[in-house]
């Protein structure tokens, strides 16, 4: 590890923090040493298998059963001694039903854990032993031989080494090295544990993506449901009242012919206003979600908007089996919004709307077909998503179901808008 | 003439009763759902049933389905459907059931123009047709695939066909387009010829002419 900064004060801090008596050194040492008791059952089992191959197969079986317990033990070792949380693996399979057990034994996470217990744990125990020995020899060499070295030469016991100075220096070096050795082993162990005892990152991300896709589908469905509820409320409430109002004004106009001209004008005006309000409300409510879409599907619903367009529209819908309600709603919105845009900006004489359902050309759709919507107009072109809010809204709505939108609109036309929606939602 | 009303909005129902009475009908039953309507029609055998498309419990096309049953079970009852939105599919279903009684399918807001609405009521009750211009627009919608019979019509003939589909008489069409009745008759004959409708079918050809565009198959 590099000594950062170089300022004397920081150098001093760094030395004390990594000295053999520092908390850092003890923590790593305690952690690596604790690998020995944790590995004992496994070591014992392996020894039995090697020494007595026949009945010795029983202990490894026991270890298989002990797996979850060992995992918990190792996890607590990491937490207590290193302050490191190895993330828990989302358990597959239930608790102790046979089926749950089978599923658990077949899960990849379970086997990674056994990998840790059978391979890493014995190695960690050996490493722990090395660290303990390093400390022990270090203390012995630096202590005993240092003591002998200090004493006058005459008092030395005959037969003991005379290289007291060398051994003492070696012992001190060993003492200095032991914490680093412990730190190295602890790091390796932690890395192995993160890889084998923790969750599989790729698998975890995959699951997360699945969860997100599911919850987004839920949100979309909820929004769609809400739109339908609003449509129903307006239809049963405001629309009916307005129609009743317009009708009563109409009756008044028809049954009261002898009214003063002024009153008559007021009634006429109110009557006209009411009818316009109905018209406006109708197109608003219809944009939310037409009942016929739910009832008869896209073809029927689209013929409604195609007929109301202020230019001739050629419509062809060939989708066979109906896609999901949300996809249908998005498709309806796409056509409705596009035709509104064409009417507003394109100065088109004619427009063609095609809806087909089929497999994706490049096979990229998840689990199903694509709904391909093509709207072609012979207008002036130059449609630019960067400028129009309509096209931005369209893009957002299409994106909400993982659809794609392609706009080809050279200046002078024609404009072709192609939208593809995956049906497998 | 006797009529029944099926409409789930009470407010509207009251108004409709008033309008029907203005038109000279006797309202023999009022109901708020399709079941009640079928029961009332079975009991009273009225000349006309005025039916809202969206009714409880499903609030989608109950009225249309009830109308189809009425046309099957009591062919003498004319049906006029009212809807917030008109859909050509519903109209197609209705027109496909060719019984003698009249048929109508109008936007609800047409009720506001009381005189015209009363006109439509009488026309339907006496065996005629009343289709909303919006339905007609949908019926005349160009559909992709297959030869388009509409392509053979002149713009004027299309206008005439649209008014014909709404249920107007030759005199009505002539007044609307400000032409003579004989000119209208000429256009209509030309339409029938272009759509390969033989003269033997008489008045029904007017409905058939519209129907032809539904399937695109002459």
């Amino acid at each position: 590890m590099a000594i950062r900064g170089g300022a004397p004060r920081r150098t001093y801090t760094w030395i004390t923090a990594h000295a053999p008596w520092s908390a850092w050194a003890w923590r790593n040492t305690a952690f690596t040493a604790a690998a020995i008791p944790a590995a004992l059952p496994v070591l014992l089992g392996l020894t039995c298998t090697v020494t007595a191959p026949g009945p010795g197969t029983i202990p490894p079986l026991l270890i298989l059963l002990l797996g979850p317990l060992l995992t918990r033990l190792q996890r607590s070792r990491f937490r207590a001694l290193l302050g490191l949380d190895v993330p828990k693996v989302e358990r597959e399979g239930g608790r102790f039903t046979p089926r749950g057990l089978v599923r658990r034994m077949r899960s990849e996470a379970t086997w990674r854990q056994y990998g840790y217990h059978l391979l890493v744990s014995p190695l960690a125990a050996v490493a722990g032993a090395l660290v303990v020995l390093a400390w022990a020899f270090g203390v012995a060499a630096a202590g005993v031989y240092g003591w002998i070295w200090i004493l006058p030469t005459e008092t030395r016991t005959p037969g003991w080494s005379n290289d007291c100075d060398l051994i003492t220096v070696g012992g001190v070096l060993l003492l200095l090295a032991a914490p680093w050795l412990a730190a190295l082993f602890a790091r390796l162990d932690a890395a192995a544990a993160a890889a084998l005892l923790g969750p599989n990152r790729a698998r975890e991300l995959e699951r997360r993506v699945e969860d997100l896709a599911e919850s987004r589908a839920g949100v979309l469905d909820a929004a769609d449901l809400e739109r339908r509820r609003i449509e129903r409320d307006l239809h049963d409430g405001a629309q009916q009242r307005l129609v009743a109002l317009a009708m009563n004004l109409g009756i008044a106009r028809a049954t009261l012919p002898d009214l003063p001209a002024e009153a008559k004008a007021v009634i006429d005006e109110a009557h006209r206003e009411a009818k316009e309000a109905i018209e406006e409300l109708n197109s608003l409510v219809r944009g939310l979600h037409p009942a016929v879409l739910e009832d008869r599907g896209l073809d029927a619903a689209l013929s409604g908007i195609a007929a109301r367009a202020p230019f001739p529209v050629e419509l062809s819908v060939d989708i066979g089996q109906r896609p999901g309600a949300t996809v249908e709603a998005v498709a309806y919105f796409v056509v409705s919004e596009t035709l509104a845009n064409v009417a507003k900006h394109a100065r088109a004489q004619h427009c063609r709307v095609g809806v087909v359902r089929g497999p994706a050309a490049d096979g990229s759709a998840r689990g199903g077909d694509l709904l391909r919507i093509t709207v072609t107009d012979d207008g002036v072109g130059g449609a630019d998503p960067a400028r129009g809010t309509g096209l931005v809204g369209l893009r957002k709505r299409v994106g909400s179901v993982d659809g794609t939108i392609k706009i080809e609109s050279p200046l002078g036309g024609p404009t072709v808008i192609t939208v593809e929606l995956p049906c497998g939602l | 003439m006797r009529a029944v009303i099926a409409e789930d909005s009470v407010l509207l129902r009251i108004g409709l009763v008033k309008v029907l009475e203005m038109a000279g009908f006797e309202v023999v039953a009022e109901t708020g759902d399709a079941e009640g309507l079928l029961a009332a029609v079975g009991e009273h055998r009225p000349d006309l049933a005025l039916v809202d498309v969206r009714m409880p419990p499903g609030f989608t096309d109950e009225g249309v389905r009830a109308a189809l049953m009425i046309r099957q079970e009591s062919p003498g009852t004319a049906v006029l459907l009212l809807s917030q939105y008109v859909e050509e599919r519903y109209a197609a279903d209705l027109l496909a059931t060719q019984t003698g009684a009249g048929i109508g399918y109008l936007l609800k807001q047409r009720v506001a123009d009381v005189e015209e609405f009363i006109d439509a009521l009488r026309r339907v009750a006496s065996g005629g047709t009343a289709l909303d211009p919006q339905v007609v627009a949908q019926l005349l919608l160009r559909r992709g695939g297959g030869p388009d019979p509409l392509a053979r019509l002149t713009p004027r003939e299309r206008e005439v066909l649209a008014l014909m589909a709404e249920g107007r008489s030759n005199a009505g069409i002539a007044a609307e387009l400000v032409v003579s009745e004989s000119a209208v008759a000429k256009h209509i004959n030309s339409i029938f010829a272009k759509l390969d409708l033989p003269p033997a079918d008489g008045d029904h050809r007017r409905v058939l002419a519209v129907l032809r565009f539904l399937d695109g198959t002459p």
Side-chain angles (χ1 to χ4, degrees):
Chain A
M1 193 180 285
I3 301 168
R4 263 170 277 142
R9 192 187 181 85
R10 288 179 72 171
T11 313
Y12 173 74
T13 327
W14 189 85
I15 289 173
T16 51
H18 294 80
W21 56 82
S22 65
W24 170 78
W26 287 115
R27 206 176 55 213
N28 285 326
T29 304
F31 172 77
T32 38
I36 302 170
L40 274 184
V42 178
L43 286 172
L44 229 62
L46 288 179
T47 316
C48 286
T49 320
V50 173
T51 52
T57 47
I58 296 165
L61 284 177
L62 278 176
I63 291 171
L64 278 187
L65 282 178
L66 279 177
L69 188 71
L70 285 174
T71 303
R72 204 170 298 171
L73 191 72
Q74 293 289 12
R75 235 186 229 125
S76 76
R77 181 168 72 101
F78 276 96
R79 194 177 315 113
L81 298 172
L82 271 194
L84 196 74
D85 263 322
V86 179
K88 273 203 168 171
V89 179
E90 210 53 52
R91 272 262 157 254
E92 291 173 38
R95 291 233 116 209
F96 287 114
T97 59
R99 203 199 227 170
L101 220 57
V102 166
R103 210 179 308 162
R104 186 178 285 199
M105 291 312 287
R106 287 173 64 172
S107 109
E108 157 266 3
T110 309
W111 289 104
R112 274 192 295 127
Q113 291 184 8
Y114 284 129
Y116 181 89
H117 296 317
L118 292 174
L119 291 174
V120 182
S121 179
L123 285 177
V126 171
L130 280 178
V131 170
V132 170
L133 286 178
W135 278 109
F137 280 115
V139 167
V144 177
Y145 279 87
W147 178 247
I148 295 172
W149 188 25
I150 289 164
L151 289 179
T153 324
E154 304 82 59
T155 56
R156 288 185 193 170
T157 320
W160 284 62
S161 171
N162 283 323
D163 300 326
C164 299
D165 40 1
L166 277 182
I167 296 176
T168 308
V169 171
V172 170
L173 287 180
L174 204 56
L175 278 183
L176 286 173
W180 289 98
L181 201 62
L184 175 71
F185 288 145
R187 274 205 172 194
L188 289 175
D189 199 353
L196 297 174
L197 290 182
N200 182 336
R201 291 273 296 164
R203 178 71 69 87
E204 202 62 11
L205 281 175
E206 208 172 282
R207 187 169 302 158
R208 181 121 184 81
V209 168
E210 270 166 32
D211 285 354
L212 284 175
E214 203 169 291
S215 70
R216 187 180 65 169
V219 168
L220 285 177
D221 288 348
D224 194 39
L225 219 66
E226 184 65 8
R227 259 197 301 281
R228 278 183 231 187
R229 191 189 61 76
I230 295 171
E231 187 264 343
R232 194 163 301 169
D233 284 356
L234 283 174
H235 180 271
D236 294 340
Q239 278 184 327
Q240 309 279 19
R241 278 167 182 272
L242 270 177
V243 170
L245 170 68
M247 178 172 54
N248 282 328
L249 286 168
I251 293 173
R253 226 172 55 145
T255 49
L256 306 169
D258 324 320
L259 279 180
E262 266 173 48
K264 210 172 173 140
V266 170
I267 291 180
D268 277 353
E269 175 68 14
H271 187 235
R272 204 172 46 74
E273 288 275 346
K275 284 200 291 182
E276 275 169 22
I278 293 170
E279 203 70 62
E280 263 174 48
L281 192 62
N282 275 356
S283 59
L284 171 78
V285 170
R286 220 193 139 88
L288 285 173
H289 187 100
V292 72
L293 180 60
E294 209 167 328
D295 186 32
R296 299 285 172 106
L298 263 179
D299 193 3
L302 290 183
S303 60
I305 33 178
R308 273 195 307 280
F311 42 80
V313 176
E314 194 179 311
L315 175 73
S316 88
V317 181
D318 179 17
I319 54 174
Q321 196 197 346
R322 284 177 67 172
T326 305
V327 172
E328 268 188 348
V330 172
Y332 177 82
F333 175 84
V334 164
V335 176
S336 148
E337 183 69 6
T338 310
L339 288 183
N341 275 341
V342 171
K344 223 184 281 174
H345 307 294
R347 301 206 287 274
Q349 302 298 311
H350 181 255
C351 190
R352 205 165 60 233
V353 177
V355 185
V356 288
R357 181 177 180 166
D362 54 354
S364 62
R366 282 183 294 121
D369 295 348
L370 283 180
L371 200 65
R372 192 174 288 106
I373 304 161
T374 323
V375 182
T376 315
D377 72 64
D378 60 353
V380 293
D384 183 2
R387 283 183 302 140
T389 51
L391 286 174
V392 173
L394 206 61
R395 179 158 278 167
K396 276 190 190 155
R397 197 75 187 266
V398 168
S400 75
V401 290
D402 278 341
T404 57
I405 178 167
K406 202 171 74 190
I407 300 167
E408 288 165 61
S409 186
L411 274 177
T415 302
V416 181
I417 295 183
T418 312
V419 171
E420 294 187 332
L421 307 172
C423 298
L425 202 80
Chain B
M1 299 244 244
R2 295 170 326 124
V4 296
I5 297 179
E7 160 67 62
D8 59 317
S9 158
V10 180
L11 209 61
L12 256 160
R13 203 153 75 201
I14 295 169
L16 287 175
V17 173
K18 222 181 288 177
V19 175
L20 276 173
E21 279 164 0
M22 279 170 69
F25 287 91
E26 177 201 351
V27 178
V28 290
E30 301 172 34
T31 164
D33 56 48
E35 238 172 81
L37 168 68
L38 291 175
V41 170
E43 187 189 333
H44 299 286
R45 302 274 161 193
D47 303 296
L48 177 75
L50 189 56
V51 181
D52 183 13
V53 168
R54 250 170 93 163
M55 282 188 297
F59 294 99
T60 57
D61 64 344
E62 283 74 12
V64 176
R65 279 183 268 148
L68 292 175
M69 287 184 77
I70 292 172
R71 283 181 82 70
Q72 251 178 23
E73 283 164 19
S74 87
T77 300
V79 182
L80 176 53
L81 278 171
L82 290 181
S83 175
Q84 204 73 51
Y85 330 101
V86 289
E87 303 293 353
E88 137 259 342
R89 293 306 152 87
Y90 297 154
D93 286 356
L94 289 169
L95 292 171
T97 60
Q98 291 185 29
T99 61
I103 192 93
Y105 185 25
L106 294 176
L107 269 178
K108 241 180 207 180
Q109 67 222 51
R110 306 288 176 219
V111 184
D113 292 310
V114 177
E115 286 100 338
E116 281 171 40
F117 183 65
I118 286 176
D119 206 41
L121 279 173
R122 288 189 180 134
R123 198 159 69 224
V124 171
S126 59
T129 316
L131 289 184
D132 201 275
Q134 280 200 18
V135 183
V136 175
Q138 287 185 38
L139 290 177
L140 300 188
L141 182 70
R142 277 160 165 270
R143 297 199 155 269
D148 182 4
L150 260 190
R152 281 177 277 171
L153 300 186
T154 65
R156 191 51 139 190
E157 284 164 358
R158 274 167 173 257
E159 279 178 285
V160 172
L161 179 59
L163 290 167
M164 206 164 80
E166 284 172 30
R168 306 286 191 91
S169 64
N170 284 11
I173 296 172
E176 178 80 30
L177 297 179
V178 204
V179 292
S180 69
E181 252 184 83
S182 63
V184 171
K186 217 173 77 192
H187 284 310
I188 291 177
N189 277 329
S190 162
I191 292 170
F192 288 157
K194 284 180 181 174
L195 299 181
D196 304 321
L197 291 166
D201 288 343
D203 267 354
H204 252 350
R205 287 199 293 175
R206 300 173 81 92
V207 177
L208 285 176
V210 178
L211 273 174
R212 199 127 289 188
F213 297 109
L214 290 175
D215 338 313
T217 51

